Amino acid sequence: AQSVTQLDSQVPVFEEAPVELRCNYSSSVSVYLFWYVQYPNQGLQLLLKYLSGSTLVESINGFEAEFNKSQTSFHLRKPSVHISDTAEYFCAVRGLSSGSARQLTFGSGTQLTVLP
Amino acid sequence: NAGVMQNPRHLVRRRGQEARLRCSPMKGHSHVYWYRQLPEEGLKFMVYLQKENIIDESGMPKERFSAEFPKEGPSILRIQQVVRGDSAAYFCASSPPGGVSYTFGSGTRLTVV
């Protein structure tokens, strides 16, 4: 079984400032890691994912996340945020194997609010 | 290539009625997952289905909830005799065989009055 902890439920930050959204996970097996973004009254959109290889993964809109196996973390960062980045961000994990391990386990989410 | 389609987008039911939520996966996707999001909470896994098979229903409440994914047509999440506590957003996701990441639909927001 896996679990995900997002330590900050609310993160307010001023426009053009850097931001880090924290995510720690627990798992007895190797995992894939994901960040999803949810805008108000919408579904979840995949932001980025770590499957294997380079521990630093990037999205097309400037976000990046680094997989740290020893600290079991997958923190999301952006060096300069925009008003349009205001949304709820969810960290998720799933096991590598098939069957019941395919389900995604989500953290409770972090509401990022970018202030002008 | 349409994404994951969920309907209705919003559903209002009175206590005791039945709610039927539909999910059409992306073309080529044969795996479907249902998640529930309660207010101010993250998404909780409910059930994982493949065509005509329930693979994992460990997140489904023991009573009143059922899901199916028939050979033809959309996946259906059915809630019988709804109660106020069933009010939530229900999201469906799909993936192809062997796929790693999922594509989510826009959700059905169920309100029980």
PDB file of all heavy atoms in Angstrom, chain B residues 23-47:
ATOM      1  N   CYS B  23     -19.332   7.375 -17.724  1.00  0.00           N
ATOM      2  CA  CYS B  23     -17.960   7.708 -18.113  1.00  0.00           C
ATOM      3  C   CYS B  23     -17.601   6.975 -19.396  1.00  0.00           C
ATOM      4  O   CYS B  23     -17.624   5.735 -19.436  1.00  0.00           O
ATOM      5  CB  CYS B  23     -16.989   7.309 -17.006  1.00  0.00           C
ATOM      6  SG  CYS B  23     -15.240   7.388 -17.488  1.00  0.00           S
ATOM      7  N   SER B  24     -17.268   7.733 -20.423  1.00  0.00           N
ATOM      8  CA  SER B  24     -16.773   7.153 -21.667  1.00  0.00           C
ATOM      9  C   SER B  24     -15.276   7.392 -21.735  1.00  0.00           C
ATOM     10  O   SER B  24     -14.833   8.547 -21.784  1.00  0.00           O
ATOM     11  CB  SER B  24     -17.472   7.788 -22.868  1.00  0.00           C
ATOM     12  OG  SER B  24     -18.847   7.494 -22.863  1.00  0.00           O
ATOM     13  N   PRO B  25     -14.474   6.332 -21.714  1.00  0.00           N
ATOM     14  CA  PRO B  25     -13.013   6.521 -21.715  1.00  0.00           C
ATOM     15  C   PRO B  25     -12.523   7.029 -23.058  1.00  0.00           C
ATOM     16  O   PRO B  25     -13.255   7.054 -24.049  1.00  0.00           O
ATOM     17  CB  PRO B  25     -12.486   5.112 -21.435  1.00  0.00           C
ATOM     18  CG  PRO B  25     -13.563   4.196 -21.928  1.00  0.00           C
ATOM     19  CD  PRO B  25     -14.854   4.931 -21.689  1.00  0.00           C
ATOM     20  N   MET B  26     -11.279   7.434 -23.080  1.00  0.00           N
ATOM     21  CA  MET B  26     -10.660   7.854 -24.335  1.00  0.00           C
ATOM     22  C   MET B  26     -10.606   6.672 -25.290  1.00  0.00           C
ATOM     23  O   MET B  26     -10.541   5.510 -24.864  1.00  0.00           O
ATOM     24  CB  MET B  26      -9.246   8.375 -24.080  1.00  0.00           C
ATOM     25  CG  MET B  26      -9.192   9.755 -23.460  1.00  0.00           C
ATOM     26  SD  MET B  26      -7.503  10.385 -23.337  1.00  0.00           S
ATOM     27  CE  MET B  26      -7.125  10.629 -25.078  1.00  0.00           C
ATOM     28  N   LYS B  27     -10.603   6.969 -26.562  1.00  0.00           N
ATOM     29  CA  LYS B  27     -10.507   5.925 -27.570  1.00  0.00           C
ATOM     30  C   LYS B  27      -9.222   5.131 -27.354  1.00  0.00           C
ATOM     31  O   LYS B  27      -8.142   5.704 -27.168  1.00  0.00           O
ATOM     32  CB  LYS B  27     -10.507   6.559 -28.966  1.00  0.00           C
ATOM     33  CG  LYS B  27     -10.603   5.547 -30.090  1.00  0.00           C
ATOM     34  CD  LYS B  27     -10.709   6.249 -31.436  1.00  0.00           C
ATOM     35  CE  LYS B  27     -10.833   5.226 -32.570  1.00  0.00           C
ATOM     36  NZ  LYS B  27     -10.918   5.879 -33.896  1.00  0.00           N
ATOM     37  N   GLY B  28      -9.357   3.806 -27.341  1.00  0.00           N
ATOM     38  CA  GLY B  28      -8.184   2.958 -27.155  1.00  0.00           C
ATOM     39  C   GLY B  28      -7.875   2.645 -25.698  1.00  0.00           C
ATOM     40  O   GLY B  28      -6.987   1.849 -25.406  1.00  0.00           O
ATOM     41  N   HIS B  29      -8.598   3.298 -24.787  1.00  0.00           N
ATOM     42  CA  HIS B  29      -8.394   3.034 -23.363  1.00  0.00           C
ATOM     43  C   HIS B  29      -9.410   1.991 -22.893  1.00  0.00           C
ATOM     44  O   HIS B  29     -10.614   2.188 -23.034  1.00  0.00           O
ATOM     45  CB  HIS B  29      -8.577   4.314 -22.538  1.00  0.00           C
ATOM     46  CG  HIS B  29      -7.475   5.298 -22.691  1.00  0.00           C
ATOM     47  ND1 HIS B  29      -7.307   6.351 -21.825  1.00  0.00           N
ATOM     48  CD2 HIS B  29      -6.471   5.389 -23.600  1.00  0.00           C
ATOM     49  CE1 HIS B  29      -6.246   7.044 -22.182  1.00  0.00           C
ATOM     50  NE2 HIS B  29      -5.727   6.487 -23.259  1.00  0.00           N
ATOM     51  N   SER B  30      -8.901   0.913 -22.296  1.00  0.00           N
ATOM     52  CA  SER B  30      -9.807  -0.136 -21.830  1.00  0.00           C
ATOM     53  C   SER B  30      -9.832  -0.262 -20.314  1.00  0.00           C
ATOM     54  O   SER B  30     -10.471  -1.161 -19.774  1.00  0.00           O
ATOM     55  CB  SER B  30      -9.389  -1.483 -22.454  1.00  0.00           C
ATOM     56  OG  SER B  30      -8.031  -1.767 -22.120  1.00  0.00           O
ATOM     57  N   HIS B  31      -9.099   0.619 -19.632  1.00  0.00           N
ATOM     58  CA  HIS B  31      -9.063   0.597 -18.166  1.00  0.00           C
ATOM     59  C   HIS B  31      -9.730   1.864 -17.654  1.00  0.00           C
ATOM     60  O   HIS B  31      -9.418   2.968 -18.110  1.00  0.00           O
ATOM     61  CB  HIS B  31      -7.612   0.554 -17.661  1.00  0.00           C
ATOM     62  CG  HIS B  31      -6.865  -0.670 -18.066  1.00  0.00           C
ATOM     63  ND1 HIS B  31      -5.755  -1.115 -17.395  1.00  0.00           N
ATOM     64  CD2 HIS B  31      -7.072  -1.568 -19.063  1.00  0.00           C
ATOM     65  CE1 HIS B  31      -5.295  -2.217 -17.963  1.00  0.00           C
ATOM     66  NE2 HIS B  31      -6.079  -2.502 -18.979  1.00  0.00           N
ATOM     67  N   VAL B  32     -10.619   1.694 -16.699  1.00  0.00           N
ATOM     68  CA  VAL B  32     -11.372   2.815 -16.141  1.00  0.00           C
ATOM     69  C   VAL B  32     -11.262   2.810 -14.623  1.00  0.00           C
ATOM     70  O   VAL B  32     -11.301   1.752 -13.987  1.00  0.00           O
ATOM     71  CB  VAL B  32     -12.866   2.733 -16.565  1.00  0.00           C
ATOM     72  CG1 VAL B  32     -13.706   3.684 -15.735  1.00  0.00           C
ATOM     73  CG2 VAL B  32     -13.017   3.069 -18.046  1.00  0.00           C
ATOM     74  N   TYR B  33     -11.111   4.001 -14.067  1.00  0.00           N
ATOM     75  CA  TYR B  33     -10.983   4.171 -12.624  1.00  0.00           C
ATOM     76  C   TYR B  33     -11.986   5.233 -12.173  1.00  0.00           C
ATOM     77  O   TYR B  33     -12.130   6.258 -12.831  1.00  0.00           O
ATOM     78  CB  TYR B  33      -9.567   4.647 -12.261  1.00  0.00           C
ATOM     79  CG  TYR B  33      -8.469   3.872 -12.938  1.00  0.00           C
ATOM     80  CD1 TYR B  33      -8.074   4.180 -14.233  1.00  0.00           C
ATOM     81  CD2 TYR B  33      -7.818   2.825 -12.279  1.00  0.00           C
ATOM     82  CE1 TYR B  33      -7.071   3.468 -14.875  1.00  0.00           C
ATOM     83  CE2 TYR B  33      -6.802   2.113 -12.922  1.00  0.00           C
ATOM     84  CZ  TYR B  33      -6.443   2.434 -14.205  1.00  0.00           C
ATOM     85  OH  TYR B  33      -5.461   1.730 -14.830  1.00  0.00           O
ATOM     86  N   TRP B  34     -12.612   4.991 -11.036  1.00  0.00           N
ATOM     87  CA  TRP B  34     -13.525   5.981 -10.453  1.00  0.00           C
ATOM     88  C   TRP B  34     -12.936   6.478  -9.136  1.00  0.00           C
ATOM     89  O   TRP B  34     -12.461   5.686  -8.315  1.00  0.00           O
ATOM     90  CB  TRP B  34     -14.895   5.372 -10.199  1.00  0.00           C
ATOM     91  CG  TRP B  34     -15.738   5.191 -11.431  1.00  0.00           C
ATOM     92  CD1 TRP B  34     -15.828   4.070 -12.209  1.00  0.00           C
ATOM     93  CD2 TRP B  34     -16.617   6.157 -12.021  1.00  0.00           C
ATOM     94  NE1 TRP B  34     -16.712   4.281 -13.239  1.00  0.00           N
ATOM     95  CE2 TRP B  34     -17.202   5.544 -13.147  1.00  0.00           C
ATOM     96  CE3 TRP B  34     -16.964   7.477 -11.708  1.00  0.00           C
ATOM     97  CZ2 TRP B  34     -18.130   6.207 -13.974  1.00  0.00           C
ATOM     98  CZ3 TRP B  34     -17.875   8.126 -12.521  1.00  0.00           C
ATOM     99  CH2 TRP B  34     -18.446   7.497 -13.633  1.00  0.00           C
ATOM    100  N   TYR B  35     -13.008   7.808  -8.974  1.00  0.00           N
ATOM    101  CA  TYR B  35     -12.527   8.449  -7.758  1.00  0.00           C
ATOM    102  C   TYR B  35     -13.617   9.369  -7.231  1.00  0.00           C
ATOM    103  O   TYR B  35     -14.410   9.917  -7.990  1.00  0.00           O
ATOM    104  CB  TYR B  35     -11.264   9.278  -8.030  1.00  0.00           C
ATOM    105  CG  TYR B  35     -10.021   8.464  -8.241  1.00  0.00           C
ATOM    106  CD1 TYR B  35      -9.753   7.854  -9.462  1.00  0.00           C
ATOM    107  CD2 TYR B  35      -9.102   8.298  -7.204  1.00  0.00           C
ATOM    108  CE1 TYR B  35      -8.608   7.097  -9.640  1.00  0.00           C
ATOM    109  CE2 TYR B  35      -7.949   7.543  -7.385  1.00  0.00           C
ATOM    110  CZ  TYR B  35      -7.718   6.946  -8.606  1.00  0.00           C
ATOM    111  OH  TYR B  35      -6.580   6.189  -8.772  1.00  0.00           O
ATOM    112  N   ARG B  36     -13.614   9.583  -5.921  1.00  0.00           N
ATOM    113  CA  ARG B  36     -14.561  10.497  -5.299  1.00  0.00           C
ATOM    114  C   ARG B  36     -13.774  11.593  -4.583  1.00  0.00           C
ATOM    115  O   ARG B  36     -12.782  11.309  -3.902  1.00  0.00           O
ATOM    116  CB  ARG B  36     -15.457   9.760  -4.304  1.00  0.00           C
ATOM    117  CG  ARG B  36     -16.425  10.675  -3.558  1.00  0.00           C
ATOM    118  CD  ARG B  36     -17.515   9.911  -2.868  1.00  0.00           C
ATOM    119  NE  ARG B  36     -17.053   9.015  -1.834  1.00  0.00           N
ATOM    120  CZ  ARG B  36     -17.860   8.324  -1.025  1.00  0.00           C
ATOM    121  NH1 ARG B  36     -19.181   8.446  -1.175  1.00  0.00           N
ATOM    122  NH2 ARG B  36     -17.376   7.531  -0.108  1.00  0.00           N
ATOM    123  N   GLN B  37     -14.229  12.818  -4.746  1.00  0.00           N
ATOM    124  CA  GLN B  37     -13.596  13.953  -4.075  1.00  0.00           C
ATOM    125  C   GLN B  37     -14.642  14.641  -3.210  1.00  0.00           C
ATOM    126  O   GLN B  37     -15.554  15.281  -3.726  1.00  0.00           O
ATOM    127  CB  GLN B  37     -13.010  14.935  -5.093  1.00  0.00           C
ATOM    128  CG  GLN B  37     -12.254  16.087  -4.453  1.00  0.00           C
ATOM    129  CD  GLN B  37     -11.654  17.023  -5.483  1.00  0.00           C
ATOM    130  OE1 GLN B  37     -12.224  17.249  -6.555  1.00  0.00           O
ATOM    131  NE2 GLN B  37     -10.502  17.589  -5.177  1.00  0.00           N
ATOM    132  N   LEU B  38     -14.467  14.502  -1.899  1.00  0.00           N
ATOM    133  CA  LEU B  38     -15.345  15.191  -0.975  1.00  0.00           C
ATOM    134  C   LEU B  38     -14.862  16.626  -0.816  1.00  0.00           C
ATOM    135  O   LEU B  38     -13.676  16.912  -1.049  1.00  0.00           O
ATOM    136  CB  LEU B  38     -15.371  14.457   0.365  1.00  0.00           C
ATOM    137  CG  LEU B  38     -15.991  13.062   0.319  1.00  0.00           C
ATOM    138  CD1 LEU B  38     -15.705  12.290   1.590  1.00  0.00           C
ATOM    139  CD2 LEU B  38     -17.490  13.154   0.083  1.00  0.00           C
ATOM    140  N   PRO B  39     -15.735  17.529  -0.401  1.00  0.00           N
ATOM    141  CA  PRO B  39     -15.327  18.930  -0.249  1.00  0.00           C
ATOM    142  C   PRO B  39     -14.086  19.073   0.621  1.00  0.00           C
ATOM    143  O   PRO B  39     -13.987  18.455   1.682  1.00  0.00           O
ATOM    144  CB  PRO B  39     -16.552  19.578   0.406  1.00  0.00           C
ATOM    145  CG  PRO B  39     -17.700  18.729  -0.016  1.00  0.00           C
ATOM    146  CD  PRO B  39     -17.163  17.330  -0.108  1.00  0.00           C
ATOM    147  N   GLU B  40     -13.147  19.868   0.159  1.00  0.00           N
ATOM    148  CA  GLU B  40     -11.921  20.172   0.908  1.00  0.00           C
ATOM    149  C   GLU B  40     -11.026  18.941   1.112  1.00  0.00           C
ATOM    150  O   GLU B  40     -10.161  18.949   1.983  1.00  0.00           O
ATOM    151  CB  GLU B  40     -12.248  20.784   2.275  1.00  0.00           C
ATOM    152  CG  GLU B  40     -13.189  21.983   2.224  1.00  0.00           C
ATOM    153  CD  GLU B  40     -12.648  23.135   1.411  1.00  0.00           C
ATOM    154  OE1 GLU B  40     -11.426  23.364   1.446  1.00  0.00           O
ATOM    155  OE2 GLU B  40     -13.429  23.809   0.726  1.00  0.00           O
ATOM    156  N   GLU B  41     -11.231  17.917   0.315  1.00  0.00           N
ATOM    157  CA  GLU B  41     -10.393  16.720   0.450  1.00  0.00           C
ATOM    158  C   GLU B  41      -9.786  16.331  -0.886  1.00  0.00           C
ATOM    159  O   GLU B  41     -10.167  16.829  -1.936  1.00  0.00           O
ATOM    160  CB  GLU B  41     -11.222  15.552   0.995  1.00  0.00           C
ATOM    161  CG  GLU B  41     -11.696  15.727   2.418  1.00  0.00           C
ATOM    162  CD  GLU B  41     -12.361  14.463   2.950  1.00  0.00           C
ATOM    163  OE1 GLU B  41     -12.166  13.391   2.348  1.00  0.00           O
ATOM    164  OE2 GLU B  41     -13.068  14.565   3.957  1.00  0.00           O
ATOM    165  N   GLY B  42      -8.828  15.422  -0.824  1.00  0.00           N
ATOM    166  CA  GLY B  42      -8.243  14.890  -2.048  1.00  0.00           C
ATOM    167  C   GLY B  42      -9.123  13.827  -2.654  1.00  0.00           C
ATOM    168  O   GLY B  42     -10.227  13.566  -2.193  1.00  0.00           O
ATOM    169  N   LEU B  43      -8.627  13.211  -3.706  1.00  0.00           N
ATOM    170  CA  LEU B  43      -9.386  12.175  -4.390  1.00  0.00           C
ATOM    171  C   LEU B  43      -9.141  10.821  -3.742  1.00  0.00           C
ATOM    172  O   LEU B  43      -8.004  10.454  -3.457  1.00  0.00           O
ATOM    173  CB  LEU B  43      -8.970  12.104  -5.861  1.00  0.00           C
ATOM    174  CG  LEU B  43      -9.574  13.159  -6.772  1.00  0.00           C
ATOM    175  CD1 LEU B  43      -8.857  14.486  -6.619  1.00  0.00           C
ATOM    176  CD2 LEU B  43      -9.526  12.700  -8.218  1.00  0.00           C
ATOM    177  N   LYS B  44     -10.235  10.113  -3.550  1.00  0.00           N
ATOM    178  CA  LYS B  44     -10.157   8.766  -2.971  1.00  0.00           C
ATOM    179  C   LYS B  44     -10.553   7.737  -4.020  1.00  0.00           C
ATOM    180  O   LYS B  44     -11.608   7.855  -4.643  1.00  0.00           O
ATOM    181  CB  LYS B  44     -11.091   8.640  -1.760  1.00  0.00           C
ATOM    182  CG  LYS B  44     -10.829   9.654  -0.664  1.00  0.00           C
ATOM    183  CD  LYS B  44      -9.466   9.507  -0.043  1.00  0.00           C
ATOM    184  CE  LYS B  44      -9.299  10.488   1.116  1.00  0.00           C
ATOM    185  NZ  LYS B  44      -7.907  10.489   1.636  1.00  0.00           N
ATOM    186  N   PHE B  45      -9.729   6.727  -4.168  1.00  0.00           N
ATOM    187  CA  PHE B  45      -9.986   5.660  -5.126  1.00  0.00           C
ATOM    188  C   PHE B  45     -11.246   4.894  -4.740  1.00  0.00           C
ATOM    189  O   PHE B  45     -11.484   4.607  -3.560  1.00  0.00           O
ATOM    190  CB  PHE B  45      -8.790   4.708  -5.151  1.00  0.00           C
ATOM    191  CG  PHE B  45      -9.039   3.433  -5.895  1.00  0.00           C
ATOM    192  CD1 PHE B  45      -9.025   3.405  -7.276  1.00  0.00           C
ATOM    193  CD2 PHE B  45      -9.276   2.253  -5.195  1.00  0.00           C
ATOM    194  CE1 PHE B  45      -9.255   2.216  -7.959  1.00  0.00           C
ATOM    195  CE2 PHE B  45      -9.496   1.067  -5.865  1.00  0.00           C
ATOM    196  CZ  PHE B  45      -9.489   1.047  -7.245  1.00  0.00           C
ATOM    197  N   MET B  46     -12.031   4.570  -5.742  1.00  0.00           N
ATOM    198  CA  MET B  46     -13.230   3.771  -5.492  1.00  0.00           C
ATOM    199  C   MET B  46     -13.111   2.393  -6.154  1.00  0.00           C
ATOM    200  O   MET B  46     -13.171   1.368  -5.484  1.00  0.00           O
ATOM    201  CB  MET B  46     -14.469   4.479  -6.006  1.00  0.00           C
ATOM    202  CG  MET B  46     -14.729   5.819  -5.354  1.00  0.00           C
ATOM    203  SD  MET B  46     -16.241   6.571  -5.962  1.00  0.00           S
ATOM    204  CE  MET B  46     -17.476   5.592  -5.097  1.00  0.00           C
ATOM    205  N   VAL B  47     -12.930   2.389  -7.489  1.00  0.00           N
ATOM    206  CA  VAL B  47     -12.987   1.105  -8.196  1.00  0.00           C
ATOM    207  C   VAL B  47     -12.197   1.211  -9.493  1.00  0.00           C
ATOM    208  O   VAL B  47     -12.082   2.273 -10.090  1.00  0.00           O
ATOM    209  CB  VAL B  47     -14.457   0.719  -8.474  1.00  0.00           C
ATOM    210  CG1 VAL B  47     -15.146   1.750  -9.364  1.00  0.00           C
ATOM    211  CG2 VAL B  47     -14.587  -0.680  -9.071  1.00  0.00           C
TER     212      VAL B  47
END
